[in-house]
Amino acid sequence: MVRPESNTKKASKLFRISGMNMMKLTITIATCLVLCSVLLLPSSNIFNRHKSHLTTTGSEKPRDKLLGGLLTADFDEDSCLSRYHKSSLYRKTLPYKPSQSLVSKLRSYEMLHKRCGPGTDAYKKATNLLGHGDVRISGDECRYVVWTPMFGLGNRILSLVSMFLYALLTERVILVDQRKDITDLFCEPFPGTSWLLPLDFPLTDQLDSFNRKHSRCYGTMLKNHAINSTTIPSHLYLDIFHDSRGQDYLFFCEENQAFLGKVSWLVTKSNLYYVPSLWLIPSFRTELIKLFPQKDTVFHHLSRYLFHPTNQVWGMVTRSYNAYLSRADETLGIQVRVFGTPAGYFQHVMDQILSCTQREKLLPELDTEQVTTNTSRSKKLKAVMVTSLHPEYSNNLKNMFWERPSSTGEIIEVYQPSGERVQQTDKKLHDQKALAEIYLLSLTDKLVTSTRSTFGYIAQGLGGLKPWILYEPRNRKAPDPPCVRAMSMEPCSLTLKAPLSSCQAKTIKMSPFVRYCEDRIRGLKLVDEI
C-alpha cells in the first residue's frame, strides 16, 4: 500500500516545479527582450533612413504657387482656386522664370492700383476732371486707361495683355469694362482693389459710341489738326485694330507718346496683340529688356499673372484634366479652326492634320498588318485632346485608332471637351467652355494649332509651348508642307501691315527680336535673340 506524501514533501516538490517554471519564464522573457532589441534596432534605422530620404530626395518637390514671385500671396486661396492651384496641374516645371525687375514692377503696380483704383479719393478726383473739358494734370495725379472688350474671347485676352503692358510702362491704372462676361470668366488680379470699371463711370454711356469717327478719337484729331501742345484733353479714344488708319497707328510713335502721357484718361478698343509694336518704341525698349530678358516670354508671364479662371471655369478644367489627361504618359493638343464660309468639317483639313502630326512624329501611323497584341512593343498611353467647333475631326481620329492599332504599339486616346459648331461670343456658358479648353490645351506636352488662331496663341503662351502651326489651306487642298514649328511661344500681331506706323520702319530693321510671323507674313511677333 502506498503511503500518502506528507505536506512538507508536497510543498518541496511544488517549489521545485515552480522554480523550474520561473527559470524557464525568465529565460523566455530575456530571450524575447534580446530579440526585440535586435529587431527594433534595424526598424529604427529603416525609419531614420526613410525619413532622411523624404527630406532629401523623396516626395516630389512642392510646386511654386507664386510662380517665381509673379503672384502675390495676398489673396484667399478658396476665393479663386485657380490662382494658386494652376502650378499643380502642369506636368512639368516650366523653365521660364520672371525677372526680378518684372516682379518688382508688378508689386509697384499693385500699390499704384490700390492707391488710385475705384473707390479711392484719387479716382473720384480723376473722374471729376472728365466733366471739365480740356485740363492739365500735375505729375502726382493718377492716370488711367480704360479697356473695352471687342470681338471674340481670344482677341479680348490678347488686347487686354497688350494694354496692361502699356499701363505698366506708362504707370497708368488699367480698368476693364465689366458690362460683358469678364466677371464670369476671371477673378480679380490685383489685391485689395478692383480692376473693374465702376458702372457709374461718367463716360459709360459713351463707351459704345467711341469709334474712329468720334470727335475724341486720337487718330481723327491728328487728321483734323485738332491736337496742340497747349491744350490737353481730359480724355482720348484710341482705335487700335488690324485695319485702323495710319493716323491711329501714330500712337506707336515716340513723339506722340510724350503728348499722350499728359492725358488723364485713355479709352481703348482693340482686337490686336500689339506688344511687338511697343518694343519698337525707343523709350519703352530699355525698360522692356529689363522686364523681359527672355524676350519671347511677355505673354507667358503677363497672362499667368492677370488671368485666373473663376471657380466654375476651373472646375471644368480640373475635371477634364483628371479624367482624360492626367493618366497619360504623354499628351498632345490639337486645336482646329477653319476660316472662311462655310466653316465645318473638310476632308482636306483632316488630311492636313494627319500629315502634320505623323510627319512630325507627334502621332504614330496605323499598323498596316493590323497586329492586335505584341508584348515587345511599347504600351505607352498618349492622350490627344482636340478642340474645335466641329466634333467630326476628333471623331475621325478616334475611330482610326480604335479600329486599327498604332504602328508603335502606343495606345491613343482621343478626347474633345465640346463641339459647339457655332461661335457664340458673349454667351456665358459658351465663353466659359472656350476658356476652359484654352487652359486644357496649355496643359498638354505638345501642341498643334491652326494658322492665325487667337485661341491657339493664348494656349501656347499660357503653356510655354512652341506649337506646330497648320498652314492655311488653299483651293481646298492640304498644303505641303502641312505645318511649321513656331519660332517662339509669343502670339502674332495679326495686322494688315507691319510695322504699324512708318515711324517704326527703321527701328524694325535693327530689332532682331521682332520678326514677321510664320502664319501671317504681314504680322509681327517677338522672338528671343539667337
Side-chain angles (χ1 to χ4, degrees), residues 283-417:
S283 61
F284 290 171
R285 191 183 311 147
T286 302
E287 177 74 4
L288 284 166
I289 290 173
K290 284 174 55 182
L291 296 176
F292 304 98
Q294 291 176 283
K295 298 171 184 62
D296 60 347
T297 61
V298 178
F299 185 83
H300 179 67
H301 290 317
L302 295 187
S303 61
R304 297 177 82 204
Y305 170 79
L306 276 182
F307 302 121
H308 312 292
T310 59
N311 287 352
Q312 183 174 355
V313 175
W314 195 241
M316 297 179 188
V317 175
T318 54
R319 286 190 294 273
S320 292
Y321 181 86
N322 291 330
Y324 298 100
L325 300 180
S326 62
R327 298 177 293 106
D329 298 295
E330 185 178 325
T331 57
L332 172 66
I334 302 177
Q335 181 262 330
V336 185
R337 174 66 189 270
V338 178
F339 292 97
T341 304
Y345 175 80
F346 297 101
Q347 187 58 48
H348 67 274
V349 176
M350 188 72 225
D351 294 341
Q352 181 183 5
I353 293 168
L354 289 174
S355 178
C356 173
T357 54
Q358 292 179 344
R359 182 181 299 197
E360 300 297 334
K361 308 299 182 186
L362 302 173
L363 282 179
E365 296 182 359
L366 297 177
D367 195 331
T368 56
E369 299 178 1
Q370 299 196 35
V371 178
T372 55
T373 57
N374 190 330
T375 56
S376 65
R377 294 183 177 183
S378 166
K379 297 302 179 186
K380 185 169 70 172
L381 172 61
K382 177 175 286 188
V384 181
M385 197 192 77
V386 179
T387 63
S388 174
L389 290 172
H390 309 282
E392 291 87 350
Y393 294 102
S394 63
N395 289 339
N396 280 1
L397 205 57
K398 185 186 300 182
N399 289 336
M400 283 173 52
F401 288 103
W402 180 62
E403 293 168 358
R404 294 171 63 183
S406 67
S407 60
T408 59
E410 293 173 289
I411 299 171
I412 309 297
E413 288 187 356
V414 182
Y415 162 66
Q416 179 170 341

Side-chain angles (χ1 to χ4, degrees), residues 50-62:
H50 180 61
K51 184 177 181 181
S52 174
H53 179 66
L54 286 176
T55 304
T56 55
T57 60
S59 61
E60 185 181 350
K61 184 180 179 181

